[in-house]
Amino acid sequence: MILSTHRFEPIIPRRRPDVTDDETILDTCTVAVGTDGAYVGIASTCGEPGARSLGCGFTGVARSYRVRGIATALKSRTTAAARELGCRELNAGGGGADSAMQHVNRRLGFEIEPAWITFISQRPGRD
């Protein structure tokens, strides 16, 4: 028997939600404004308002304003807004290789689940 080692890279679909996404709950959008009046960050949730389970939408902070706790504050506020709408489960999803966002999610109490991989046989006659 010959064993070979292969390196598998997980395929994570890239979804780039923004505040114009049809699923964005506008009542949960939170914007951070810098001292100069410019928008420096935003966070939102997605799903059906009033649903028990929602998803985190877009969370982003301008590069020059990062590492100041802004993403944590934004996501904390959107989490509270989702709770006020009756949400009992909020899924952050994604994160992937974004260790900074994983750190924010951990700080806010999200459970980080281990990665999972599904193998599919693509040879004819194999199910």
Side-chain angles (χ1 to χ4, degrees), residues 27-111:
D27 291 342
T28 65
C29 288
T30 305
V31 176
V33 180
T35 56
D36 60 355
Y39 295 144
V40 298
I42 189 167
S44 64
T45 60
C46 295
E48 288 291 322
R52 288 185 54 81
S53 179
L54 297 174
C56 289
F58 182 79
T59 301
V61 175
R63 190 170 304 279
S64 60
Y65 284 85
R66 292 182 184 167
V67 195
R68 299 182 189 190
I70 295 171
T72 301
L74 288 168
K75 205 161 201 179
S76 176
R77 178 62 204 125
T78 58
T79 300
R83 192 176 300 122
E84 291 167 10
L85 291 175
C87 174
R88 296 292 168 247
E89 178 181 281
L90 189 61
N91 299 300
D98 187 351
S99 62
M101 189 51 67
Q102 283 186 8
H103 184 70
V104 168
N105 290 339
R106 277 192 187 94
R107 186 180 300 148
L108 293 173
F110 284 88
E111 292 180 23

Side-chain angles (χ1 to χ4, degrees), residues 109-126:
F110 284 88
E111 292 180 23
I112 308 298
E113 295 179 353
W116 50 269
I117 299 172
T118 302
F119 290 97
I120 300 171
S121 174
Q122 295 184 343
R123 294 185 292 176
R126 298 272 188 164

